[in-house]
Amino acid sequence: EVQLVESGGGLVQPGRSLKLSCVASGFTFSNYGMNWIRQAPGKGLEWVAYISSGSSYIYYAETVKGRFTISRDNAKNTLYLQMTSLRSEDTALYYCARSLRRVEGLDYWGQGVMVTVSS
Amino acid sequence: DIQMTQSPSSLSASLGDRVTITCRASQDIGNYLTWFQQKPGKSPRRMIYGATNLEDGVPSRFSGSRSGSDYSLTISSLESEDVADYHCLQSIQYPLTFGSGTKLEIK
């Protein structure tokens, strides 16, 4: 069974940093691209970042470029999102999701982890 | 960036009704269109991928179609368990972009 389990969220002050993790199981993690997507309370979905299976290709949404860093450790089956210079508008539920072929979109999602940026 | 214009933003329909939700792409996205269902407090679930392909385990009352730059998700006969938010996603280029979502309720 495919499982993606996020962790690392919490309450953080504006300007501070936080690192999210997503542990994968039930599939060959190193074969899949991985994404972070977020959803602000009561709002729609916003794609945040993508990393290819071997970390060769990385893309970011403009809203987080220069502040967030996506990375992965295939030996640990873990995806990361390092978030710095956090703003109140980064408050959201953060999901990790996998992708194989772009035409197929994102097929499995984690349960999400909440990040609240507030003083 | 590719804009995905989703409509309607909310929809109230009766059990057994045929329901259609549409996303319009601002540029050619081919069949790189996915539909997700999201129930309250849950993660999104992929329903349709490649514009028309039904995810395994998804009821056959769900279908996806394309007409030019318009992509539709249709529920042929609405059931109570279909109450959810629905989102479209284009994945032909980065940044990936979602539609704004449709809240589907029972009348």
Side-chain angles (χ1 to χ4, degrees):
Chain A
E1 179 193 6
V2 173
Q3 285 201 323
L4 298 167
V5 180
E6 302 95 335
S7 62
L11 174 63
V12 61
Q13 293 179 327
R16 302 299 289 267
S17 300
L18 202 61
K19 188 172 185 176
L20 305 182
S21 299
C22 168
V23 176
S25 61
F27 65 101
T28 304
F29 180 69
S30 59
N31 286 350
Y32 286 79
M34 295 297 295
N35 300 263
W36 287 100
I37 302 97
R38 66 186 181 183
Q39 188 169 33
K43 302 296 185 182
L45 298 167
E46 179 188 16
W47 172 82
V48 172
Y50 165 83
I51 185 168
S52 63
S53 58
S55 304
S56 297
Y57 299 96
I58 290 175
Y59 304 102
Y60 296 99
E62 281 298 322
T63 52
V64 306
K65 195 175 293 185
R67 299 187 299 122
F68 289 12
T69 302
I70 190 172
S71 63
R72 64 191 295 161
D73 185 337
N74 285 344
K76 294 183 178 180
N77 289 345
T78 304
L79 172 73
Y80 302 101
L81 186 68
Q82 176 70 56
M83 304 184 293
T84 65
S85 303
L86 282 161
R87 307 167 180 167
S88 58
E89 53 265 37
D90 296 318
T91 293
L93 188 61
Y94 284 74
Y95 296 101
C96 62
R98 75 173 197 180
S99 54
L100 184 59
R101 286 171 284 275
R102 274 194 289 137
V103 70
E104 297 175 356
L106 310 173
D107 62 351
Y108 280 93
W109 298 55
Q111 84 288 351
V113 61
M114 189 67 201
V115 172
T116 303
V117 183
S118 175
S119 54
Chain B
D1 298 358
I2 297 174
Q3 308 302 316
M4 301 300 297
T5 303
Q6 185 170 345
S7 62
S9 57
S10 64
L11 178 55
S12 182
S14 300
L15 296 175
D17 279 357
R18 182 181 182 88
V19 169
T20 297
I21 299 167
T22 298
C23 276
R24 174 169 291 175
S26 63
Q27 302 175 34
D28 182 19
I29 62 168
N31 286 333
Y32 287 65
L33 191 285
T34 306
W35 288 101
F36 298 94
Q37 177 192 67
Q38 186 179 26
K39 295 187 176 181
K42 299 294 187 181
S43 305
R45 173 194 181 190
R46 189 176 70 170
M47 305 294 278
I48 302 284
Y49 62 93
T52 61
N53 298 289
L54 193 67
E55 180 71 32
D56 288 345
V58 172
S60 59
R61 64 181 180 275
F62 288 87
S63 64
S65 63
R66 173 191 177 187
S67 176
S69 61
D70 289 342
Y71 298 79
S72 296
L73 172 71
T74 298
I75 306 172
S76 60
S77 181
L78 186 65
E79 297 193 7
S80 57
E81 67 184 31
D82 301 335
V83 168
D85 292 336
Y86 292 85
H87 310 271
C88 66
L89 167 72
Q90 70 77 19
S91 55
I92 197 169
Q93 71 174 227
Y94 293 95
L96 305 187
T97 46
F98 289 89
S100 54
T102 296
K103 176 177 285 292
L104 175 58
E105 298 174 326
I106 302 295
K107 192 182 296 182

